Amino acid sequence: MVSLLGRLIGPLIKRWRAFMPVLLFSFLTVALGLATPYFIRLAIDIFNGTGMTNDVYWLALAIFLVALFQGISDWARLYYMAHLGQQIVLQWRVRLFDHLMRLPFSFFDKVHTGDLISRVASDIETLSVFYTRAAVMAFGNIAFLAAILCVMVFWDYRLSIVYLALLPLIAHAMSIYSRQVSPHIRASRKQVATLTSQLRNGLTAIDTAQGLGFTDELESSLSATSQRLGESRIKAGNVVARWRHYPTVVVAIACAACLWYGSTLVRTGTMSMGTLIGFTAFFGLLGRPIRQTGFMVSVIIRAAASAERVFELLDVDANVKDSIDSGPLPDGAGTVKFDDVHFSYDGPEGVPALKGISTTLRAGDVIALVGPSGSGKTTMAHLIPRFYEPLKGKLTIDDRDIQKVTLASLRKRVGIAFQDSFIFAGTLRNNVAWGKPEATDEEITIALEQAQLSDLLHREKGLDLEVGERGLRLSGGQRQRLALARVLLYDPQILILDEPTASLDKTAEDKLRRALQNVRQGRLTVVISHRLWTVRNADQIIVLDEGKIVQEARGSKESSADEQLSKAGGLYVRLQQKLLTNGKEQQ
């Protein structure tokens, strides 16, 4: 907990110059808060000693001015803290998002997107309350309580004992409060993340849910999570309700004890009436900072729970990252070589996904990766842009170890169009230029034409055409080709197409086939596909099974790779026969 709070307070310490006005106005607010009981003490003593005089009127005016300037000082304190706090929150949010963008695919394979959204949005927003309000108010209130103790001891050490006896009771109450409320707050934060994840999944798959009649199950799951969230917050609310008025009761008892003992001192002449009234005024002022501090303890606990989730994410090691001796990938032909590459999604102890892959993908060729589901085709392709790191072996591009080059330069040379590439709500222009926002309209148009999407350019709005959420205003084939156009815009030297023809009809497939014929020139093209036309036109065919290369052929003048493997028989022929038997191919 101490380490966690240290990391929370660290940004304030680093910005100590910006924090100085907050400290100054906090001390000024404390000092002005102490002035009112002092003036009341003087006024009572003057009135008891000499009767009503002009000094009392001046003291009344002084109390008014103190209240006025205290309000101004308190406003300035909160204003500067809000400004500083929002800067810190902005840095946390940007830092967290930037860290997420650098994490490897293996991390996202194991987490829920809704949980990540909750951490970036909801948990960071909780930290916002801490930095803009809780931190400065807790500091100011503690300073105020300490200052009251000093003044009380200076005025009369005997009555200050009553105040000292009050502090352990308040501290004990806050300690019990924090221990009891913390588990419920942590549980509610986790339930919020789960609810966010369920909402995201449900809304994303609303068409599927309605089509399968699965909406009742989704509603039931959401209701159960919402109920658990409500129960956690009710339990936290019970703790708050139980301890909220405890400080007020303790202060009232202390004030009564002060009046009882202080009146005895006044009767014996060892204390002035003004001092006694001043003491009771101080006790009256204790209620607000103690209640606020109790509330701020709750806010700090919430912030600690959120910070724990944020720091947990920031502490995840980006195991795919640039090494110290990394340099840019130099220009070259684009030949990729696998040398005894092994890989497992679950680390060295996990089930191997690739076992001893050794092959060369020559620049300018079309390479077809085929095999049963789960054979390692996509895994092999994803190692090229370093979405994952091999456990063993080496992967080179133009004889340069890709672990020795910067990720930025590598991924500028390698373009990948996924089977389900994301199309976001926006214009055609914005979707294509996502990876190259500085692209001109002419460059975007050329990429669309290469991807056989010139028909979209002829619509009324052209590049300003709205494609809808997830590209719902486009057909499946248009979405596939739009993803291809996005990759082609920055002209990668190595192009990876992951099942580009999946779920396409004959017309859409023909257009995509022509697009691939247009863009293959001068670049290495790796295609993961079950389509016969893709495989038969490939310069090199690699057949994988259970993470191993079981067959491989490169075309020559005498025979194509497809012809060589067809004559050899084995898994390749069985796969082709299965596709033909199932009627999935249009030859």
Side-chain angles (χ1 to χ4, degrees):
M1 186 67 175
V2 174
S3 174
L4 188 64
L5 289 176
R7 294 181 70 174
L8 264 176
I9 299 172
L12 294 175
I13 298 174
K14 290 180 180 178
R15 291 173 173 79
W16 65 271
R17 293 181 186 275
F19 193 52
M20 285 304 296
V22 178
L23 290 177
L24 292 175
F25 281 113
S26 294
F27 287 129
L28 180 59
T29 301
V30 169
L32 291 171
L34 297 174
T36 298
Y38 174 72
F39 289 141
I40 291 174
R41 175 193 180 194
L42 288 180
I44 296 296
D45 285 343
I46 291 173
F47 185 77
N48 284 342
T50 60
M52 185 67 70
T53 66
N54 290 334
D55 290 338
V56 175
Y57 294 115
W58 285 111
L59 287 172
L61 177 61
I63 291 174
F64 168 75
L65 292 175
V66 163
L68 178 63
F69 285 112
Q70 185 181 16
I72 295 173
S73 174
D74 199 38
W75 167 83
R77 174 184 66 153
L78 294 176
Y79 170 80
Y80 280 108
M81 193 63 216
H83 188 267
L84 174 60
Q86 288 302 329
Q87 288 182 334
I88 295 173
V89 169
L90 174 62
Q91 183 190 39
W92 278 124
R93 186 170 279 123
V94 171
R95 180 183 171 190
L96 184 59
F97 188 76
D98 180 69
H99 184 68
L100 283 173
M101 293 298 101
R102 298 176 186 277
L103 291 178
F105 273 34
S106 56
F107 171 77
F108 296 98
D109 291 339
K110 303 172 184 176
V111 298
H112 296 290
T113 305
D115 180 61
L116 299 180
I117 293 173
S118 176
R119 298 192 194 208
V120 176
S122 179
D123 288 325
I124 292 291
E125 193 59 33
T126 303
L127 293 183
S128 173
V129 178
F130 170 78
Y131 285 116
T132 56
R133 291 185 57 199
V136 63
M137 293 185 73
F139 171 79
N141 289 340
I142 291 172
F144 186 66
L145 295 174
I148 286 179
L149 174 62
C150 294
V151 173
M152 283 184 169
V153 172
F154 180 74
W155 279 11
D156 191 292
Y157 73 91
R158 292 167 296 184
L159 283 184
S160 66
I161 294 175
V162 177
Y163 179 69
L164 286 173
L166 168 70
L167 294 179
L169 296 176
I170 298 297
H172 175 66
M174 289 183 179
S175 174
I176 295 176
Y177 169 80
S178 64
R179 286 202 304 269
Q180 290 184 354
V181 81
S182 293
H184 305 309
I185 290 177
R186 288 194 182 94
S188 67
R189 299 307 303 167
K190 292 180 180 179
Q191 295 302 331
V192 167
T194 302
L195 186 62
T196 303
S197 180
Q198 290 178 339
L199 280 170
R200 177 187 177 277
N201 292 337
L203 293 174
T204 302
I206 189 66
D207 50 352
T208 304
Q210 290 181 350
L212 296 175
F214 193 66
T215 52
D216 290 342
E217 285 75 4
L218 284 176
E219 182 181 353
S220 176
S221 178
L222 273 172
S223 296
T225 303
S226 298
Q227 184 175 355
R228 288 193 295 271
L229 174 60
E231 289 172 354
S232 296
R233 288 186 169 172
I234 288 173
K235 290 176 181 177
N238 286 336
V239 176
V240 173
R242 193 161 56 246
W243 293 100
R244 180 178 179 84
H245 300 290
Y246 175 85
T248 305
V249 175
V250 173
V251 168
I253 294 172
C255 186
C258 175
L259 283 172
W260 174 77
Y261 181 53
S263 61
T264 303
L265 297 177
V266 172
R267 282 198 304 270
T268 60
T270 57
M271 177 185 286
S272 69
M273 178 62 71
T275 301
L276 177 59
I277 300 300
F279 262 97
T280 57
F282 273 132
F283 277 108
L285 293 175
L286 287 178
R288 180 185 175 188
I290 289 176
R291 282 195 303 272
Q292 280 187 345
T293 303
F295 172 72
M296 291 307 146
V297 167
S298 175
V299 173
I300 290 171
I301 292 171
R302 287 188 175 89
S306 294
E308 188 174 13
R309 285 164 47 80
V310 170
F311 294 147
E312 182 183 26
L313 202 54
L314 288 172
D315 290 339
V316 175
D317 183 33
N319 54 14
V320 178
K321 54 188 175 183
D322 294 338
S323 59
I324 298 176
D325 57 345
S326 292
L329 180 63
D331 293 334
T335 295
V336 176
K337 184 177 181 181
F338 289 79
D339 185 7
D340 193 29
V341 171
H342 296 252
F343 175 75
S344 170
Y345 287 99
D346 298 317
E349 305 302 322
V351 177
L354 294 178
K355 309 169 188 174
I357 300 296
S358 296
T359 188
T360 299
L361 315 181
R362 294 193 306 196
D365 282 357
V366 174
I367 312 296
L369 301 180
V370 299
S373 296
S375 59
K377 304 183 297 296
T378 299
T379 303
M380 182 177 171
H382 284 185
L383 290 180
I384 298 174
R386 282 185 70 193
F387 291 156
Y388 302 95
E389 296 281 32
L391 294 177
K392 179 184 175 184
K394 186 168 67 172
L395 200 156
T396 63
I397 297 179
D398 297 325
D399 297 325
R400 181 72 179 266
D401 189 345
I402 62 171
Q403 292 186 328
K404 302 295 184 181
V405 301
T406 60
L407 285 171
S409 64
L410 173 63
R411 291 176 183 173
K412 283 297 180 183
R413 296 273 298 278
V414 181
I416 181 167
F418 297 97
Q419 181 177 348
D420 274 327
S421 291
F422 180 71
I423 307 296
F424 60 86
T427 65
L428 188 62
R429 175 189 290 105
N430 292 340
N431 267 281
V432 177
W434 198 13
K436 189 180 178 182
E438 73 280 3
T440 64
D441 285 357
E442 182 181 0
E443 291 174 323
I444 296 172
T445 300
I446 292 173
L448 287 168
E449 289 175 345
Q450 286 181 317
Q452 296 289 300
L453 280 173
S454 50
D455 55 320
L456 293 181
L457 296 173
H458 297 147
R459 294 191 184 180
E460 183 179 350
K461 294 185 178 180
L463 291 176
D464 293 319
L465 174 70
E466 292 286 339
V467 300
E469 187 77 24
R470 292 180 291 146
L472 290 178
R473 295 184 183 180
L474 305 177
S475 68
Q478 287 171 332
R479 288 195 292 271
Q480 291 273 24
R481 282 175 280 139
L482 179 56
L484 178 60
R486 181 188 290 163
V487 175
L488 294 176
L489 182 62
Y490 64 89
D491 193 26
Q493 193 172 29
I494 300 170
L495 179 62
I496 300 173
L497 305 174
D498 190 351
E499 294 287 2
T501 58
S503 304
L504 299 187
D505 58 31
K506 184 64 169 61
T507 302
E509 184 179 326
D510 288 341
K511 288 185 177 181
L512 186 59
R513 183 188 307 185
R514 290 195 295 271
L516 294 181
Q517 289 172 347
N518 290 339
V519 303
R520 63 167 291 183
Q521 302 300 325
R523 57 167 56 94
L524 170 63
T525 305
V526 180
V527 183
I528 303 168
S529 179
H530 293 99
R531 299 295 195 186
L532 288 178
W533 66 264
T534 306
V535 174
R536 287 173 177 169
N537 292 329
D539 300 298
Q540 181 180 354
I541 300 174
I542 298 174
V543 185
L544 293 104
D545 189 27
E546 296 183 352
K548 295 181 180 180
I549 295 178
V550 294
Q551 288 181 288
E552 182 176 8
R554 177 176 288 115
S556 64
K557 293 181 180 180
E558 290 77 21
S559 61
S560 67
D562 173 69
E563 292 171 342
Q564 294 176 36
L565 290 176
S566 296
K567 291 179 181 178
L571 179 60
Y572 179 78
V573 172
R574 292 198 300 273
L575 289 172
Q576 302 298 59
Q577 290 174 343
K578 183 178 179 180
L579 290 172
L580 290 170
T581 301
N582 291 339
K584 294 183 178 181
E585 295 295 335
Q586 299 292 333
Q587 300 184 56

